[in-house]
Amino acid sequence: MARKERRKIGELLVEAGVAKSEQVEQAVSTAKASRKRTGEVLVEMGACTEEDVAKALGRQFGMEFANLDRPEWANRVNRKLLPEDVTKKFLILPLDEKKGNIVRLLIHDPMDLEALTALQFRLSCQFETFITSRGQIRRFLEGGKEEGSLLNRKSLMTASITQSKDTSRDSSQDSSRDASRDASVDSDRADRQAQMSATKLVDRIIIDAVEQRSSDIHIEPMKQYVMLRYRIDGSCVEMERIDKRLQSAMLARIKLMAGVNIAERRVPQDGRIKFKVGDSNIDFRVSACPAYWGESIVMRILRPESARIGLLNLGLQQDTLDTFNKVIRRPNGIFLVTGPTGSGKTTTLYSALNDLNRPDRKIITAEDPVEFSFKGINQVQVRENIGLTFPVILKSMLRQAPNIILVGEIRDREVADIAIQAALTGHLVFSTLHTNDAPSAITRLIDMGVKPFLVASSIQAVLAQRLARILCPECKVPDDQPDPHWARITGITAEEIARGTMMKPVGCPKCAKIGYKGRKGVYEMMLMNSEIRDLAFQRATVGKIRAAAVRSGMRTLLGDGKIKVLKGITTADEVATFAQADVAP
C-alpha cells in the first residue's frame, strides 16, 4: 500500500476558506526566517484564528477537533484524572472517565512528541488524543486569564524528528525545547531503557539495525515487554526486550516518522521513512498491524546499493548467467522470476534492468511499492485507493511505446492476460510470480485462467531462486567429516567429500559468532523449448514439465546449491532447508 502524503497546513487553511494563498506564501517565508510555525505566523498576521489552525491540524493528523467553548466538550473535561501540575505544565486536559489503561486527552500540538513521551513515562498509560487550540486550553485552566501560563509558547521538536520529515514540514516546526519536561520524569525511569526518550530509542534501533546488516526490524508488543528482533541474513534474531512503558510512545514515534495516523490503532497501516545513517539516506518501508498486546511494527530496510549489485554478483553459475543475458536481450516475450517473499526476486530484476538501461531503450515499471528509484527508468507506483491498479497502469503503459516493461507481480488473470498480450505485441516483459520452482510457473498461470496456448507462446524463460547464507570468509574451516544426512539429501557423494573442498562455520567477531555473513542466490533456470511448450499446451503436470526441463539441461535448485557447497561457499544443511529436499532425520 502506498504511503499517503500528509497535506500542508497552509493548503488546508486555504481549502477551508479561512486564509488566502498569498497570505500562506507570506507566512511560510516569515516562518522560515523567524523559526516559527506557519500556523502561528498566520494567527499573528490576523489571517485566521487559533481555532482555525487547530481544526486544520485535526484534519492533517486525523484527529477530532474539540471546541471547549461548547458545553458538550467543556462538560467532558475531568481534571481529577491528572494532577494539576501536569495539566498546566503540558497544557493538556483529560476527558471523560479513564477506561482501563486509556486516558482520553485534549492536546493542542500533535507534533509535540516529547510531551507525550514524558507523559507516558510519568503516568504509565496510553492516550486517545483530541485536538483544540492552545488558547482554549489556557483559558479553561486559568479561568479566562491569559497571563500566568506555565508553558512556553514555543513547542519542542527534537533534531532527529526534524531529520525524518519533508523539508516543507521542517520549515513549519519550532526546534526549541522545554528542558524541564525531561527533568520532571527522570525519577520515574527505572533502568537504562526507561532513561531514553522514545525519540532516542527509535533512532538507536534504526542505526543499530543498519549497522548489523539487517533486512527487517520487528517491534512486537508482548504482555510484559516489547520484543525487538532483527532479520539478519534471512533469520530473525532477538536483540532486546524493551520496557513495556515505552511501547505507546515508541510506536507513536515510528508512526509519526512514517507519516501515518498515530491515533488509528484498529486497522493496518503502511508508510515510509527516510532516515540518514552515516553518509547514506536509507528508506524504510513501515507496516503497522494491530495485534493482541498492541500494534506490531515491521520496518523493511531498503538499501539502494542492494538493487545495483550487478548481474555478476548475484551468484549465477557462468552457464546460467550466459543464458540469462541472452534471454533479457530478446526483443519480446515474458521472463518470469519466481520464489517466495524475501528470496531476492526484485533484486534480480532490478539488476537486469540496470544492465539494460540505455538511452535507446524505453523502460517502464509498475510496482507496489516502488522500492528503489532508477535514473532513466519510468517507474509507476500502484495506488489502489485511487484506482491506479496494475491493470490500469499496464493498459496505459502499452500506449507509451516502451521497449521493456516490468510488472512488479502477476497476481491475477487480468494482469497475466495484459502482460501476455504485451509480450505477444513486441514488448519484453519482466515480472515475478510466487511459485516453489520454475516449472510450477506454467501450471500456476494456467490455473489462474490464462489459456495454455498463450502461456506456451509468450514465456521465454523462468528463473526460480532462493537465498542461502554464505560462510564467513574470516572463520570458515574445511569440513573433513560432514554430516552424512545432509550430504545424502544434497546428493554429495563420498568421492566429492574426499576432495576436501567442503567448509563449515565456526564463528568470529566479524560474523557476530554466527559463522555466516551475507547471502547468495541459488537458481533454477528453465528455458522454454518446443517440448516444454507442447506440454504447457497439453496442460501437463508439473512433474512432466520438470522432467522435460531437466532433460533439456536445466540445473535444479538442489543442483545449483550442491555446486556452491562443494565450492565451500555455503553448507549442505543450508541448501537442504529450501531446495525442496526431504530434511527429516
Side-chain angles (χ1 to χ4, degrees), residues 459-480:
I459 293 179
Q460 297 291 338
V462 183
L463 180 73
Q465 69 177 76
R466 300 290 191 279
L467 290 177
R469 292 185 298 171
I470 59 177
L471 290 164
C472 174
E474 300 292 332
C475 62
K476 66 179 180 180
V477 297
D479 190 0
D480 299 325

Side-chain angles (χ1 to χ4, degrees), residues 391-456:
V392 171
I393 295 171
L394 283 173
K395 290 174 183 176
S396 176
M397 276 183 178
L398 297 179
R399 294 191 290 270
Q400 296 280 315
N403 299 107
I404 299 170
I405 295 172
L406 183 145
V407 183
E409 180 184 349
I410 294 180
R411 298 177 177 175
D412 52 41
R413 178 181 175 178
E414 186 177 10
V415 175
D417 282 339
I418 299 172
I420 287 173
Q421 289 302 321
L424 294 175
T425 53
H427 303 87
L428 181 61
V429 180
F430 294 157
S431 190
T432 68
L433 200 63
H434 287 281
T435 63
N436 289 327
D437 57 14
S440 298
I442 292 175
T443 56
R444 176 79 180 97
L445 289 172
I446 294 173
D447 288 343
M448 281 184 182
V450 180
K451 291 180 175 58
F453 77 90
L454 291 176
V455 174

Side-chain angles (χ1 to χ4, degrees), residues 81-100:
L81 290 179
L82 297 179
E84 187 175 352
D85 67 310
V86 172
T87 58
K88 288 186 175 181
K89 183 174 192 61
F90 297 100
L91 210 59
I92 58 174
L93 288 171
L95 299 173
D96 307 321
E97 293 294 331
K98 185 177 180 180
K99 287 190 176 182

Side-chain angles (χ1 to χ4, degrees), residues 3-46:
R3 170 182 171 180
K4 184 178 180 180
E5 294 291 341
R6 186 175 294 139
R7 299 178 65 188
K8 297 178 183 178
I9 191 74
E11 293 176 1
L12 292 168
L13 289 169
V14 171
E15 186 180 271
V18 297
K20 297 180 180 179
S21 300
E22 301 79 22
Q23 292 173 318
V24 170
E25 291 175 6
Q26 182 182 346
V28 169
S29 300
T30 304
K32 288 181 180 178
S34 61
R35 296 188 63 80
K36 293 182 178 180
R37 297 191 181 185
T38 303
E40 184 180 353
V41 174
L42 285 168
V43 172
E44 292 175 355
M45 291 168 55

Side-chain angles (χ1 to χ4, degrees), residues 338-572:
T338 74
T341 301
S343 59
K345 301 186 298 295
T346 302
T347 298
T348 298
L349 288 179
Y350 276 164
S351 297
L353 288 185
N354 200 42
D355 201 53
L356 296 172
N357 187 14
R358 294 189 338 207
D360 62 334
R361 293 192 180 105
K362 178 158 185 174
I363 303 174
I364 305 180
T365 74
E367 304 172 65
D368 185 18
V370 174
E371 295 190 356
F372 305 104
S373 61
F374 285 83
K375 185 178 180 181
I377 295 179
N378 300 277
Q379 296 173 269
V380 185
Q381 169 77 56
V382 172
R383 298 183 186 274
E384 300 276 357
N385 57 326
I386 61 171
L388 191 61
T389 60
F390 273 120
V392 171
I393 295 171
L394 283 173
K395 290 174 183 176
S396 176
M397 276 183 178
L398 297 179
R399 294 191 290 270
Q400 296 280 315
N403 299 107
I404 299 170
I405 295 172
L406 183 145
V407 183
E409 180 184 349
I410 294 180
R411 298 177 177 175
D412 52 41
R413 178 181 175 178
E414 186 177 10
V415 175
D417 282 339
I418 299 172
I420 287 173
Q421 289 302 321
L424 294 175
T425 53
H427 303 87
L428 181 61
V429 180
F430 294 157
S431 190
T432 68
L433 200 63
H434 287 281
T435 63
N436 289 327
D437 57 14
S440 298
I442 292 175
T443 56
R444 176 79 180 97
L445 289 172
I446 294 173
D447 288 343
M448 281 184 182
V450 180
K451 291 180 175 58
F453 77 90
L454 291 176
V455 174
S457 57
S458 63
I459 293 179
Q460 297 291 338
V462 183
L463 180 73
Q465 69 177 76
R466 300 290 191 279
L467 290 177
R469 292 185 298 171
I470 59 177
L471 290 164
C472 174
E474 300 292 332
C475 62
K476 66 179 180 180
V477 297
D479 190 0
D480 299 325
Q481 295 181 325
D483 189 320
H485 170 65
W486 300 118
R488 175 179 57 81
I489 287 175
T490 51
I492 297 174
T493 64
E495 291 78 11
E496 289 169 331
I497 294 174
R499 296 175 189 169
T501 57
M502 295 176 64
M503 309 293 282
K504 64 182 179 181
V506 176
C508 67
K510 293 283 187 180
C511 60
K513 303 291 184 181
I514 297 173
Y516 297 90
K517 187 176 181 181
R519 291 187 291 176
K520 282 278 188 185
V522 177
Y523 299 94
E524 178 178 277
M525 172 75 86
M526 183 182 75
L527 195 63
M528 295 292 283
N529 57 27
S530 57
E531 183 182 5
I532 296 174
R533 294 186 197 280
D534 288 341
L535 290 172
F537 184 75
Q538 298 167 16
R539 296 177 181 263
T541 62
V542 173
K544 290 183 178 179
I545 296 173
R546 168 172 284 276
V550 171
R551 283 196 301 272
S552 65
M554 182 185 80
R555 183 185 298 113
T556 65
L557 287 169
L558 196 60
D560 193 47
K562 176 183 174 180
I563 292 174
K564 289 177 170 63
V565 172
L566 294 176
K567 287 183 176 180
I569 297 172
T570 186
T571 58

